[in-house]
Amino acid sequence: MSDVDLEGSASAFAGMVNHTGKLYVHYFARECTDLPNCHEITRDMIPQDGELKLIQRNYVVPGSTRGPDPTLLVNPSLIIFDGASRPKSQADKK
């Protein structure tokens, strides 16, 4: 998955969060119907009591072997939903 795939994915939260153009949202769920930016994780992939470990790697500055200054980055956050309700897109709210 690249920045092109994630571009604009946080825009649905623009009413709640500033600078959504610098953020992204991606879901990993057992069932992704009507959930944007989602990878479906089946029980064949990860059993009910299994674990999913996510790793995010910062980009490398093009033409160099260096990454960005870590003091200028926003640390990633992981939010775990209980499945009782689904996030709505901006289109759903209109």
Side-chain angles (χ1 to χ4, degrees), residues 9-27:
S9 61
S11 63
F13 300 94
M16 297 173 267
V17 178
N18 294 327
H19 310 293
T20 57
K22 296 182 180 279
L23 304 172
Y24 69 88
V25 173
H26 194 84
Y27 299 99

Side-chain angles (χ1 to χ4, degrees), residues 74-85:
V74 176
N75 287 323
S77 296
L78 176 66
I79 301 170
I80 300 173
F81 295 102
D82 64 6
S85 64

Side-chain angles (χ1 to χ4, degrees), residues 5-10 25-28 32 35-39:
D5 300 318
L6 297 170
E7 187 173 354
S9 61
V25 173
H26 194 84
Y27 299 99
F28 296 88
C32 286
L35 193 58
N37 308 308
C38 184
H39 271 90

Side-chain angles (χ1 to χ4, degrees), residues 39-72:
H39 271 90
E40 196 160 287
I41 307 297
T42 67
R43 284 184 173 72
D44 288 335
M45 298 165 123
I46 301 175
Q48 180 67 30
D49 295 327
E51 292 183 5
L52 172 65
K53 295 182 181 185
L54 301 173
I55 298 172
Q56 176 178 312
R57 191 178 102 180
N58 296 323
Y59 66 89
V60 174
V61 176
S64 78
T65 57
R66 297 185 50 184
D69 180 345
T71 64
L72 300 176

